[in-house]
Amino acid sequence: MTHANDLAGQPLNVAPALAKKLDKLGLRRRFDLVLHLPLRYEDETHLYPITAAPYGQPVLVEGRVIAHEVQFRPRKQLLVRIEDASGVLLLRFIHFYPSQLKQFADGALVRAMGEIRRGFHGDEMVHPKTREVVDGTPLAESLTPVYPTVNGVTQPMLRKLIRSELQSLPLPETLPPSVIAHLQLQSFADAVRLLHSPPPEYSASQLSEPALPAWQRLKFDELMAQQLSMRLAYRARRQGRAPVVRGSGRLREALFASLPFRLTAAQHKVLGEIDADLAQAHPMHRLLQGDVGSGKTVVAALAALTAIEAGFQVALMAPTEILAEQHYRKLSGWLAPLGLTVSWLSGSLRKKQKELALEQMASGTAHLVVGTHALFQDGVDFARLGLAIVDEQHRFGVGQRLALKQKGEEPHQLMMSATPIPRTLAMSFYADLDVSVIDELPPGRTPIVTKLINSSRREEVVDFVHKTCSEGQQVYWVCPLIEESETLQLQTAVETHRQLAAQLGQWHVGLLHGRMKADEKAAVMAAFGSNQLQILVATTVIEVGVDVPNASLMVIEHAERMGLAQLHQLRGRVGRGSARSVCMLLFENPLSDVAKARLKVIYENVDGFEIARQDLLIRGPGEFLGARQSGVPMLRFANLEDDIELLEAARELAPEILARWPEAADAHLERWLSGREQFLKA
Ligand code: ADP
Ligand code: MG
């Protein structure tokens, strides 16, 4: 087994220039070629008479060249006429090399593969694949695979490289025989051989059928590799050491006494789960999920108090300065009266303040430190960090797990997210985490009414803003996202602010955007929080976490440009108080199909889990996870929507394989993951 893997792991034996191109396809080790599977297949097993070939599908024809010419108008192109016993066909090449002219000498016998269509001058093929043959050259016996490729790597080159590895590499099983038998899986070697060089009896549609046993085998193996690596990550963590954190309950009681509300049953439940983890001697990695507004912050605060009671420090990290600042205010408000020190650390702090915060962290005088990424940068030391809390974890990307090791011990981690993770994703990419869910909203919330409004009716919207303010409520007005240009986005926000301030003269209108300095942003947020500003014009910087319960109207311009998660987050900024809340989604025609689908979903649903599920359907898991940014490789063959049964089987069997056949697990991971990024970056 080890020997087989050694060969498989060898780098490709090709010239450096080609190696560089193959690298772009993710082809580095010899075994990578085995897993480079066809996108589709072409049928070169059958020759059609020219006039009997069907239109609109790839066909192979053969004929003798009767004429060729290079035309210069309307653009340079090569025209070749071939003829068989049934009739004549025009081959048209817009791009061609001088060498191709030679191939088409009059009288040459040529095979052309392509789609025939009716052209102005009769039947033609545009850019067929051609080769010169001699009379009676045998046809392919089976379908020809077509591989994903890049410029400079032709299909014949790939076929040759792959064929040679299939012949020379041993392809042993990595999974234990009992697992293969139990799931009635095709053997790995048979599966890859079948897909690379299908036997003659297979049709192209059979081969692209996801239920084909060969595809099932590859998908299962891939999902199994993912499950094994996730379980190993989970195990490694459970073998790590963390401080045992048990609180006295004294500070918690004091906070409970000061809160104007009682916890919901769901908040109590998740707090119990967190407490149980904290009391263990290995690090907690728990994901706390709860829809927008479900009250995660207070749960974080209560968890922090337990750690503080036990003599530890707590760090709370948020993805944006605005959110971090808001948490700092809220948590100071709760904790300072209990005699605790809450510090604040962000990238934009002045040197003096920063030094003070760092000193408080290092000396241990700070009980809780709130901040942005700056919290976990080099040169930041805690005296005794016991718990790290990450808010809006999904904003940091799926692969991000904080590396917080210090002095042989790792603090506990609580990750919070309002972007619910559909079950399949939770079972795959988040499988190394324990998950708690707050599945109920605090009582007394009135549901948000969502309206879709054509932007031509903007005046009516402005009237409604006025009415809302007259009733003592506040309004968010979110400016369009302009991805191409931050400057343009800024201009739009400034212009919208100017217009609304002019139209709504009796109200105070504030402006918030990403280019403002941190203290300016904080000042605007504070003014909005205390109702000195009734209307807040903002870019999407307010997307996450901002909590102003008196705001009851959210207007979003160009909602069609935004993603579902973003719309759900923005809408969740209202509906936090007892007033009836409205979210107005302004859109501009024409709408793309995707935009239409998204607006329909957000209009029809309030439940974040359902929205996330639909989002996954519309976008696919790659974008859903934000994995492009985080660099986590996606599944190549398996698909979380369709292959749920395979995923469940892999999840169920992974622990058993690890326990009973650890060498098999190693070999399997080596085959699927070595040379590639891990599924998870810890
Ligand atoms: P999210 O889960 O989106 O982070 P927050 O923690 O910001 O939500 O909570 C939303 C609002 O609900 C806050 O104003 C918070 O103080 C309030 N809240 C939290 N828990 C309760 C509860 N049990 N009853 C009433 N209000 C609550
Ligand atoms: Mg929050």
Side-chain angles (χ1 to χ4, degrees):
M1 189 63 72
T2 318
H3 177 61
N5 267 337
D6 283 351
L7 285 181
Q10 286 171 352
L12 295 176
N13 183 19
V14 295
L18 179 57
K20 213 167 163 187
K21 288 175 188 154
L22 294 172
D23 186 83
K24 286 193 203 144
L25 292 165
L27 302 174
R28 290 161 206 129
R29 308 170 302 157
R30 294 178 61 188
F31 199 79
D32 293 335
L33 284 163
V34 174
L35 291 180
H36 194 63
L37 292 169
L39 281 175
R40 59 191 172 83
Y41 299 86
E42 275 175 357
D43 188 351
E44 295 178 342
T45 64
H46 181 78
L47 268 183
Y48 281 95
I50 286 173
T51 52
Y55 290 107
Q57 71 183 58
V59 291
L60 185 67
V61 297
E62 181 181 287
R64 283 201 190 276
V65 177
I66 52 172
H68 73 270
E69 62 168 320
V70 177
Q71 231 182 38
F72 291 92
R73 260 160 246 279
R75 58 179 297 184
K76 191 175 171 190
Q77 49 187 307
L78 169 63
L79 301 176
V80 179
R81 262 167 239 280
I82 61 170
E83 182 184 48
D84 69 3
S86 73
V88 176
L89 180 68
L90 176 68
L91 311 180
R92 188 191 292 276
F93 300 86
I94 316 280
H95 309 281
F96 59 95
Y97 300 104
S99 63
Q100 272 176 295
L101 287 172
K102 268 187 262 149
Q103 191 191 0
F104 298 119
D106 285 358
L109 188 64
V110 169
R111 276 190 191 155
M113 173 90 205
E115 284 185 19
I116 299 184
R117 58 175 205 201
R118 252 178 281 247
F120 195 63
H121 304 286
D123 286 353
E124 65 175 42
M125 260 187 198
V126 179
H127 274 276
K129 250 177 36 186
T130 58
R131 72 183 174 121
E132 196 179 347
V133 291
V134 295
D135 222 352
T137 300
L139 288 164
E141 282 182 8
S142 48
L143 297 181
T144 313
V146 180
Y147 293 101
T149 191
V150 292
N151 241 341
V153 183
T154 64
Q155 292 293 328
M157 283 156 82
L158 276 173
R159 267 181 232 139
K160 194 166 154 232
L161 286 167
I162 291 169
R163 198 179 316 123
S164 123
E165 295 305 352
L166 280 178
Q167 277 160 7
S168 57
L169 283 180
L171 300 171
E173 287 298 349
T174 46
L175 298 179
S178 62
V179 169
I180 293 173
H182 172 65
L183 295 171
Q184 298 183 317
L185 294 173
Q186 188 168 44
S187 88
F188 178 79
D190 286 352
V192 289
R193 288 209 178 95
L194 181 120
L195 294 169
H196 283 300
S197 42
E201 63 271 23
Y202 281 84
S203 71
S205 64
Q206 271 173 307
L207 287 169
S208 50
E209 176 54 52
L212 189 76
W215 284 120
Q216 293 282 305
R217 172 64 203 253
L218 284 156
K219 290 171 178 201
F220 180 78
D221 276 21
E222 180 177 49
L223 290 166
M224 179 55 86
Q226 188 196 37
Q227 289 299 316
L228 290 172
S229 87
M230 289 304 211
R231 287 223 60 97
L232 285 176
Y234 186 85
R235 258 205 206 170
R237 170 160 63 73
R238 292 188 72 92
Q239 277 158 12
R241 284 198 305 121
V244 172
V245 173
R246 277 202 197 90
S248 61
R250 181 180 65 84
L251 292 169
R252 265 198 192 175
E253 287 312 316
L255 179 59
F256 277 134
S258 75
L259 286 177
F261 52 78
R262 294 159 146 251
L263 293 194
T264 61
Q267 285 170 317
H268 270 299
K269 181 194 67 183
V270 301
L271 205 52
E273 290 163 352
I274 294 167
D275 286 346
D277 281 359
L278 292 176
Q280 308 270 329
H282 51 76
M284 164 172 85
H285 278 203
R286 186 168 284 278
L287 179 68
L288 173 57
Q289 278 190 53
D291 207 347
V292 180
S294 60
K296 294 183 290 294
T297 316
V298 72
V299 171
L302 290 161
L305 288 181
T306 295
I308 295 168
E309 283 169 10
F312 293 97
Q313 291 171 290
V314 178
L316 188 149
M317 176 169 84
T320 66
E321 293 236 348
I322 291 183
L323 186 54
E325 168 97 27
Q326 174 187 288
H327 279 325
Y328 172 63
R329 285 173 190 281
K330 184 151 213 165
L331 290 159
S332 304
W334 282 338
L335 270 55
L338 310 181
L340 301 178
T341 305
V342 181
S343 311
W344 160 249
L345 186 73
S346 85
S348 66
L349 275 187
R350 259 161 264 205
K351 196 159 172 257
K352 269 256 163 59
Q353 298 169 290
K354 194 177 219 159
E355 279 168 6
L356 176 65
L358 288 173
E359 197 280 319
Q360 288 177 324
M361 290 158 76
S363 66
T365 43
H367 296 100
L368 171 67
V369 187
V370 181
T372 55
H373 301 73
L375 274 183
F376 297 107
Q377 271 158 8
D378 286 345
V380 176
D381 275 320
F382 289 86
R384 41 178 198 289
L385 184 63
L387 171 64
I389 304 172
V390 180
D391 195 20
E392 307 294 348
Q393 181 271 348
H394 60 282
R395 292 286 298 242
F396 295 99
V398 61
Q400 293 279 327
R401 310 277 194 265
L402 286 178
L404 296 174
K405 279 249 162 49
Q406 46 169 24
K407 298 172 199 123
E409 275 196 341
E410 198 187 316
H412 298 282
Q413 279 187 50
L414 179 65
M415 290 154 257
M416 308 200 286
S417 174
T419 298
I421 299 155
R423 201 171 72 90
T424 48
L425 289 183
M427 277 166 52
S428 51
F429 290 98
Y430 284 87
D432 66 315
L433 302 182
D434 295 304
V435 179
S436 292
V437 182
I438 304 183
D439 53 7
E440 105 187 276
L441 292 179
R445 303 261 167 95
T446 37
I448 306 168
V449 176
T450 302
K451 299 186 181 202
L452 296 177
I453 301 174
N454 194 303
S455 58
S456 61
R457 291 170 53 200
R458 186 187 164 99
E459 290 309 309
E460 291 167 50
V461 176
V462 173
D463 288 346
F464 194 77
V465 170
H466 174 66
K467 182 167 167 283
T468 305
C469 294
S470 311
E471 287 164 5
Q473 301 291 311
Q474 290 166 271
V475 179
Y476 293 100
W477 186 293
V478 177
C479 294
L481 181 71
I482 301 172
E483 275 181 346
E484 314 85 72
S485 158
E486 204 192 328
T487 316
L488 212 57
Q489 179 157 344
L490 185 67
Q491 281 171 8
T492 312
V494 171
E495 176 56 23
T496 307
H497 174 253
R498 197 191 54 76
Q499 271 182 16
L500 288 176
Q503 282 176 296
L504 295 156
Q506 65 271 59
W507 308 112
H508 297 289
V509 186
L511 175 62
L512 190 70
H513 58 73
R515 287 278 185 85
M516 287 162 62
K517 294 214 181 72
D519 50 353
E520 294 169 353
K521 283 188 212 165
V524 171
M525 271 322 291
F528 188 63
S530 58
N531 202 357
Q532 285 159 274
L533 295 171
Q534 287 76 49
I535 301 162
L536 184 64
V537 174
T539 54
T540 49
V541 291
I542 59 155
E543 180 195 330
V544 288
V546 172
D547 183 37
V548 179
N550 191 49
S552 69
L553 173 61
M554 165 67 65
V555 179
I556 303 176
E557 280 195 85
H558 279 289
E560 79 278 2
R561 292 184 193 168
M562 289 183 197
L564 270 175
Q566 199 170 27
L567 288 172
H568 182 61
Q569 282 282 344
L570 284 169
R571 182 171 61 181
R573 300 306 113 218
V574 296
R576 298 182 155 240
S578 49
R580 192 183 105 112
S581 292
V582 177
C583 175
M584 295 182 157
L585 302 175
L586 272 57
F587 65 88
E588 203 143 283
N589 280 325
L591 289 175
S592 71
D593 288 347
V594 170
K596 254 186 222 155
R598 279 201 220 117
L599 291 177
K600 184 169 184 306
V601 170
I602 199 79
Y603 178 71
E604 289 176 352
N605 295 281
V606 287
D607 174 15
F609 272 87
E610 183 54 24
I611 291 170
R613 206 181 67 79
Q614 303 268 1
D615 198 15
L616 182 65
L617 283 178
I618 298 175
R619 290 199 287 168
E623 283 185 54
F624 183 93
L625 289 166
R628 302 263 151 82
Q629 297 92 295
S630 69
V632 178
M634 289 291 102
L635 296 165
R636 283 193 287 164
F637 307 122
N639 156 340
L640 294 182
E641 282 300 318
D642 301 337
D643 300 319
I644 175 110
E645 281 175 30
L646 290 175
L647 173 58
E648 275 170 352
R651 192 169 79 124
E652 201 170 298
L653 286 164
E656 192 181 333
I657 293 182
L658 281 172
R660 292 179 54 191
W661 300 284
E663 331 70 58
D666 281 351
H668 192 76
L669 282 169
E670 176 81 28
R671 170 173 281 178
W672 281 87
L673 295 186
S674 104
R676 293 182 174 272
E677 309 242 5
Q678 299 290 311
F679 282 101
L680 184 71
K681 276 194 204 155

